[in-house]
Amino acid sequence: MDFFGGTISSLENGLSYATLKNKTIAQNIANVDTPNYKAKDVSFKAMLNDAQQATIAANRNDQRHYDFTFSESTPGVYSYDNFRTRHNGNGVNMDTEQASLAENTIYYNALIERVSGKLNSLNTVIKGGR
């Protein structure tokens, strides 16, 4: 039974994106003094493309046929390989990371409020409107 018509699923995917982005930002901040560390970011577009390609099904009638699924270590995460900001090769800009963290936190909290609102609506219906 689907109460919300896929809304909860979409919100769950948004929360997964925000969580991955938060982990990536935290990793960048933790490695701010690591020589030759390249800053990483999460691309929503790349994650969407990965999700769309992962759902492609193919009929394989021979073992020599390639599978259409792709496996990456962390889909949607990429690094700025050619971008250096400091003399030791580190590519982390703390101002950019803190701004990204604040933006992502606002996005995450908005999604949590939306999920909470949906569940409160369901709770109200279960209690008969009281």
Side-chain angles (χ1 to χ4, degrees):
M1 181 176 282
D2 188 14
F3 291 113
F4 300 111
T7 304
I8 292 293
S9 177
S10 296
L11 292 170
E12 180 184 0
N13 290 335
L15 287 171
S16 295
Y17 165 75
T19 301
L20 179 61
K21 186 163 180 91
N22 201 30
K23 287 180 182 177
T24 304
I25 293 168
Q27 186 178 15
N28 288 342
I29 291 172
N31 287 299
V32 69
D33 292 327
T34 304
N36 297 320
Y37 178 80
K38 306 297 181 221
K40 296 178 181 169
D41 199 2
V42 179
S43 168
F44 183 80
K45 184 178 179 181
M47 286 184 70
L48 180 62
N49 287 339
D50 290 342
Q52 288 174 339
Q53 290 179 356
T55 59
I56 295 174
N59 292 327
R60 293 177 57 194
N61 55 11
D62 192 314
Q63 293 296 327
R64 294 175 290 177
H65 293 167
Y66 289 107
D67 195 8
F68 285 130
T69 59
F70 298 98
S71 61
E72 294 181 29
S73 59
T74 308
V77 177
Y78 62 93
S79 64
Y80 300 107
D81 289 333
N82 298 326
F83 188 70
R84 292 185 180 181
T85 58
R86 294 191 291 179
H87 67 284
N88 64 357
N90 188 296
V92 176
N93 183 338
M94 281 301 289
D95 293 336
T96 303
E97 298 302 325
Q98 289 176 344
S100 294
L101 183 62
E103 179 183 353
N104 193 50
T105 301
I106 291 170
Y107 176 69
Y108 184 86
N109 287 338
L111 290 175
I112 289 294
E113 284 185 25
R114 190 69 187 139
V115 169
S116 179
K118 288 287 185 182
L119 295 179
N120 283 337
S121 297
L122 181 62
N123 191 23
T124 301
V125 169
I126 289 171
K127 289 181 179 179
R130 290 181 253 157

